Amino acid sequence: MCLPLVTIVLATVVVVVINHECKDYVLLASDQSLIDMMKQYLRTSRIEECQRKTSNTGVTFVRWGKKECPKGSEIVYTGQVGGNDHESKGGGVNYLCLPNDPENGQHQSYNNNQVYGGEYELYYSHKPLGWSERMHNKEVPCAVCYQKRRSAVLMIPGRKTCYKGWNAEYNGYLMSDHVIYNKKEFACVDINAEPLDNKNGNENGALFYPLRTKCGSLRCPPYKNEVDVLCVVCTK
């Protein structure tokens, strides 16, 4: 119902009330019908307003180890993993999803290299279950994804499924740099991870090692000792 019509309805009700001679005014059937129409209009307009607001909301997340986004989400861009070199003692510690179509700056002569490529570090006895050692020293792809009508994103370490009320975007293995090198963040790498390409140069940079648990201060049960650490990325 358009706004002018609602204004006419309101004016009609006011006129009826003012012109009524009784002190104890009792709503007639026609009056109640007009009120019901106004209520329905307000209810509909509020619902439409809420839908417009929620349709413009969403969350972004990085899918580590894959070039595409999960089904149901939009791809913002695809790229390759980058970050500080595994032996660097200063600078950034987080992994970066670097786009495949960069807009490069000017060459500089100062020495502060902090953006390297990333590689899988996998050996025949040091890899997640089901992964091939052929991915060893291969560069790591990534994709930045957008999920509409969601307001929160959460990576849960130690699980492969989301809690009730949350939606799983993807699951995988928790990975980071090796314990003997400098610290990196924990990243949830897709369980069906793939290489960026077929290049195999062992150029290091920001490295991805599989992790395992260690009982002690980590309570076992419920955890188990020296097992792969699963992870899942959830949205809501």
Side-chain angles (χ1 to χ4, degrees):
M1 183 187 298
C2 62
L3 186 58
L5 181 57
V6 174
T7 304
I8 294 172
V9 171
L10 286 170
T12 303
V13 173
V14 171
V15 169
V16 171
V17 172
I18 292 176
N19 293 335
H20 204 285
E21 297 179 354
C22 300
K23 292 183 179 180
D24 296 327
Y25 178 68
V26 178
L27 290 177
L28 301 176
S30 59
D31 300 330
Q32 187 61 52
S33 176
L34 291 172
I35 292 173
D36 291 341
M37 290 171 62
M38 287 186 289
K39 287 182 178 179
Q40 180 62 31
Y41 167 78
L42 292 173
R43 185 180 299 110
T44 303
S45 63
R46 298 283 168 78
I47 292 174
E48 291 176 350
E49 181 182 2
C50 180
Q51 289 175 340
R52 285 195 298 271
K53 290 181 178 179
T54 56
S55 64
N56 295 325
T57 62
V59 295
T60 59
F61 60 91
V62 179
R63 190 184 192 188
W64 304 104
K66 297 292 286 186
K67 303 174 185 177
E68 301 292 336
C69 292
K71 185 178 180 180
S73 60
E74 297 179 6
I75 188 163
V76 180
Y77 67 86
T78 185
Q80 71 174 100
V81 172
N84 210 348
D85 186 81
H86 66 291
E87 293 184 332
S88 296
K89 298 185 181 301
V93 298
N94 56 303
Y95 294 109
L96 303 170
C97 186
L98 301 170
N100 287 332
D101 55 345
E103 297 171 337
N104 294 306
Q106 297 297 316
H107 178 267
Q108 300 293 342
S109 59
Y110 57 78
N111 183 19
N112 190 24
N113 302 332
Q114 287 197 38
V115 180
Y116 294 77
E119 290 182 350
Y120 295 110
E121 292 295 314
L122 306 171
Y123 307 94
Y124 72 95
S125 62
H126 194 103
K127 60 182 179 63
L129 181 66
W131 283 21
S132 171
E133 62 186 277
R134 290 194 297 271
M135 287 205 304
H136 177 57
N137 286 333
K138 295 277 198 312
E139 278 71 38
V140 185
C142 58
V144 175
C145 309
Y146 176 71
Q147 183 60 270
K148 292 182 178 179
R149 292 179 291 277
R150 304 283 167 80
S151 59
V153 58
L154 174 67
M155 189 275 281
I156 305 177
R159 288 184 63 88
K160 62 181 179 180
T161 58
C162 298
Y163 290 105
K164 185 178 180 179
W166 290 79
N167 304 279
E169 299 296 337
Y170 74 93
N171 67 289
Y173 292 104
L174 199 67
M175 302 185 77
S176 188
D177 212 330
H178 198 279
V179 66
I180 66 173
Y181 296 130
N182 291 295
K183 294 180 179 179
K184 283 286 191 299
E185 67 176 319
F186 294 111
C188 187
V189 181
D190 196 279
I191 195 167
N192 296 311
E194 59 186 332
L196 178 68
D197 50 36
N198 292 324
K199 184 179 178 181
N200 193 352
N202 191 25
E203 297 167 336
N204 291 320
L207 304 181
F208 275 73
Y209 283 87
L211 312 177
R212 67 178 189 176
T213 55
K214 183 62 179 177
C215 291
S217 54
L218 179 66
R219 294 294 182 260
C220 302
Y223 288 89
K224 293 182 179 180
N225 193 42
E226 298 179 351
V227 298
D228 290 328
V229 184
L230 306 179
C231 58
V232 60
V233 173
C234 310
T235 58
K236 184 177 183 179

